[in-house]
Amino acid sequence: MPTEFKNEPLTDFSKSENRAAMEKAIEKVRGSLGKTYPLILDGKDVTGPETFASVNPSMKSEVVGQFQKATTAQLQQAITAGWRAFENWSRTAPQKRAQVIFDAASKMRRRKHEFSAWMIFETGKTWVEADADTAEAIDFMEFYAREMVRLAAPQPITKIPAEENELVYLPLGVGAVIPPWNFPLAICVGMTSAAIVSGNCVILKPASDSPAVAYQFAALMHEVGLPAGVLNYVSGSGAQIGDPLVTHPKIRFITFTGSKEVGLRINELAAKHRPGQKWIKRVVAEMGGKDAIVVDQDADIEEAATGIVAAAFGYQGQKCSACSRAILHEAVYDGLVEKIKQKTEALKIGPTMNFDTQIGPVVSGSAQKKILEYVEIGKTEGKLLTGGKTVRDDGYYIAPTVFVDVDPNARISQEEIFGPVLAITKAKDFDQALQIANNTEFGLTGAVYSKSKDHLEKARKEFFVGNLYFNRKCTGALVGVHPFGGFNMSGTDSKAGGRDYLLLFTQAKVVSEKIR
């Protein structure tokens, strides 16, 4: 039996030897930039007629790599390969499938800084954010492999004298895994490894802003002996291959993390029956958030300010769990706003290849444009406290931006911006603060800073989110500790990193035998 699960430790970069190790990894990855990468279909490298570039958002003139634009014919090859591999992989002992994932986790742990460096170059993650992303990827593999061993064991069901009964969990088939760019390793690895360890085969279509990170993971899986066809890597635009992948009659399930708009479209397309399709497709979707931190009148405002700034601007606010709204009791409003301003303006902005950078670029030019459009909207809906402009012109940088005196129904209070923009709203009391926190269509994460047991208990019952935190920030969920997923337009409450998650990739079968 595997040992008890423990979370992967984060790297302490205050130690010179750890900094040196990361610098070495960064230089190694720098030497690999600009290469052309293939698709991986049925274990073989395959190229196509067109490629696209992935660029470093910290230095937009630097090309991370060239990636194939897969054709629909190549997509069909991947699906065919997946079903061919499924015949054997689905019948492979769950313990053996789990061992492949354990082996991948061990290998990623040995190359941890290298994987982090790829994220630093391709998605603008700081050292600390990239390291946490890699640690979470390792955690997902370690956790889900153990979960498969647990589910493969005899399941507890009620016994009766006249029959022998068993409940087993079977894989679904071939599915599409569509991860986001903001956690390009952790979520990609989590969704893919959960599907694979459960006995399924996967068509992995990475986000167009992070194909290099996903490629490194796919290559690692084949290095540890994953059979050909179990994981097929198919890069390309959502417009070109996204719909054909989701609507294909031989795709059994789709697991997606991304925007509300794309998630709803996937759900709609997947719900329609197609000729040759003999199942209802299963959709696992984690979508957006408009997450709030509520600060009560008796809260420690220093602690609250630190948590708000960290949750609002960690990875430039590009997290579905990010604090994009701060709802402050009027008794602490003015003093807390000033502390938030001071802490925000103290953040150091720059290229994430540098150790001391705290705020890097947003992921792309299109993301920068959209965020700046929201900044202009914000100027008509509240008072600009700080930020609101681009900084540097060598990358996609936006200064962390704070608006105050924002109406709860303003667009910047309701719509997901997915960037370093925080809207602050005043509440007359705790009840009104909770009402404001609940007044969006989302329900992913939230936090409350308060010393009142009664108020925390009220929030426990009435703050309608999938992940609620007390007296700490609303980002930083740990695998196994904080199973993650939200309500309403935040998705299907998938609870990634929890004991329910593998059930989404399996189907239960009961076998009953009469005792003679």
Side-chain angles (χ1 to χ4, degrees):
M1 287 292 291
T3 58
E4 182 181 358
F5 170 77
K6 293 183 180 179
N7 295 104
E8 179 71 13
L10 301 179
T11 303
D12 182 358
F13 289 115
S14 68
K15 295 181 177 179
S16 59
E17 63 268 28
N18 291 338
R19 290 199 304 276
M22 177 63 92
E23 287 167 353
K24 182 178 179 181
I26 287 172
E27 288 310 305
K28 180 179 179 180
V29 170
R30 193 190 301 275
S32 296
L33 299 181
K35 294 181 179 179
T36 298
Y37 294 86
L39 308 175
I40 303 175
L41 307 180
D42 201 17
K44 301 178 181 67
D45 292 349
V46 177
T47 58
E50 292 184 82
T51 62
F52 67 96
S54 174
V55 303
N56 178 358
S58 289
M59 191 177 296
K60 57 191 178 183
S61 62
E62 186 171 61
V63 175
V64 173
Q66 296 286 345
F67 294 85
Q68 308 301 313
K69 289 185 178 180
T71 64
T72 52
Q74 289 169 329
L75 183 62
Q76 179 61 58
Q77 290 176 40
I79 295 170
T80 300
W83 279 109
R84 188 163 52 241
F86 180 73
E87 184 172 347
N88 289 326
W89 184 245
S90 62
R91 294 184 173 93
T92 299
Q95 294 81 1
K96 289 187 177 181
R97 298 197 303 257
Q99 189 58 54
V100 173
I101 303 302
F102 282 133
D103 291 346
S106 295
K107 190 155 194 172
M108 185 175 289
R109 187 178 291 111
R110 292 194 297 271
R111 293 168 51 194
K112 162 184 233 183
H113 295 322
E114 186 179 331
F115 276 92
S116 296
W118 279 106
M119 286 185 277
I120 288 167
F121 278 105
E122 187 169 48
T123 60
K125 290 213 164 194
T126 62
W127 287 27
V128 170
E129 291 284 349
D131 182 70
D133 199 311
T134 304
E136 187 175 12
I138 294 167
D139 280 351
F140 276 132
M141 288 190 282
E142 293 280 0
F143 186 84
Y144 293 148
R146 285 169 172 79
E147 279 297 286
M148 191 65 250
V149 173
R150 180 179 70 84
L151 290 178
Q155 297 299 303
I157 54 177
T158 302
K159 297 183 182 302
I160 60 174
E163 291 180 356
E164 288 184 355
N165 296 289
E166 65 172 342
L167 169 67
V168 295
Y169 292 100
L170 305 177
L172 297 174
V174 176
V177 172
I178 307 173
W181 52 261
N182 65 326
F183 285 87
L185 190 63
I187 295 179
C188 172
V189 168
M191 297 194 301
T192 305
S193 63
I196 287 174
V197 81
S198 301
N200 302 291
C201 296
V202 165
I203 314 303
L204 171 59
K205 188 228 162 291
S208 294
D209 286 322
S210 57
V213 176
Y215 180 87
Q216 298 303 318
F217 166 61
L220 179 143
M221 291 303 297
H222 288 92
E223 288 171 19
V224 297
L226 187 71
V230 175
L231 173 57
N232 300 278
Y233 169 90
V234 182
S235 55
S237 71
Q240 188 170 354
I241 60 171
D243 284 4
L245 178 58
V246 169
T247 59
H248 197 287
K250 293 297 184 182
I251 287 293
R252 176 66 178 84
F253 64 91
I254 302 106
T255 178
F256 164 81
T257 300
S259 70
K260 178 194 80 171
E261 292 74 18
V262 176
L264 290 178
R265 176 169 174 78
I266 287 173
N267 195 53
E268 180 181 1
L269 291 173
K272 182 176 176 59
H273 179 265
R274 314 281 169 175
Q277 178 182 324
K278 59 180 184 178
W279 44 62
I280 299 172
K281 294 187 182 187
R282 189 173 295 180
V283 175
V284 181
E286 185 190 316
M287 304 190 305
K290 194 65 185 173
D291 311 299
I293 291 181
V294 171
V295 183
D296 203 358
Q297 61 182 333
D298 62 353
D300 181 325
I301 65 169
E302 178 68 27
E303 190 176 67
T306 298
I308 288 169
V309 171
F313 302 124
Y315 191 38
Q316 297 76 264
Q318 298 174 123
K319 301 179 183 180
C320 54
S321 59
C323 171
S324 57
R325 296 181 296 151
I327 303 164
L328 315 182
H329 192 291
E330 62 182 10
V332 297
Y333 188 85
D334 291 341
L336 187 47
V337 162
E338 183 58 32
K339 283 185 177 293
I340 291 170
K341 181 177 186 289
Q342 291 171 1
K343 291 178 182 293
T344 299
E345 292 177 346
L347 295 170
K348 182 172 181 179
I349 305 172
T352 54
M353 296 81 77
N354 300 336
F355 162 64
D356 58 351
T357 291
Q358 295 170 290
I359 299 292
V362 297
V363 75
S364 67
S366 59
Q368 185 187 53
K369 181 175 182 290
K370 176 194 169 189
I371 295 162
L372 291 174
E373 288 171 355
Y374 270 108
V375 168
E376 293 307 307
I377 291 168
K379 290 176 181 178
T380 70
E381 295 183 328
K383 177 184 175 184
L384 178 63
L385 182 70
T386 188
K389 60 185 179 181
T390 58
V391 290
R392 307 176 61 105
D393 58 6
D394 52 347
Y396 304 116
Y397 297 93
I398 299 175
T401 301
V402 181
F403 290 99
V404 295
D405 304 336
V406 181
D407 188 277
N409 296 311
R411 287 184 65 185
I412 62 169
S413 292
Q414 292 290 319
E415 299 174 15
E416 187 177 39
I417 300 172
F418 222 68
V421 179
L422 172 67
I424 301 181
T425 298
K426 183 186 294 185
K428 65 181 181 182
D429 55 31
F430 189 76
D431 286 349
Q432 186 186 46
L434 276 189
Q435 291 170 5
I436 295 169
N438 284 329
N439 81 338
T440 76
E441 63 183 350
F442 299 102
L444 187 53
T445 74
V448 177
Y449 283 87
S450 177
K451 295 176 183 174
S452 167
K453 290 184 178 179
D454 289 342
H455 285 178
L456 292 178
E457 188 59 30
K458 183 179 180 67
R460 190 185 300 272
K461 295 175 181 177
E462 298 181 15
F463 199 155
F464 196 67
V465 291
N467 289 74
L468 179 61
Y469 305 95
F470 291 158
N471 294 309
R472 55 149 287 182
K473 62 188 176 76
C474 61
T475 57
L478 288 173
V479 172
V481 180
H482 314 108
F484 190 82
F487 306 152
N488 297 346
M489 285 299 164
S490 289
T492 56
D493 194 32
S494 59
K495 287 297 177 264
R499 287 169 71 91
D500 303 321
Y501 194 66
L502 289 197
L503 301 182
L504 301 172
F505 299 89
T506 59
Q507 47 200 349
K509 181 178 182 178
V510 174
V511 179
S512 303
E513 181 177 353
K514 183 177 179 180
I515 299 175
R516 297 186 181 275

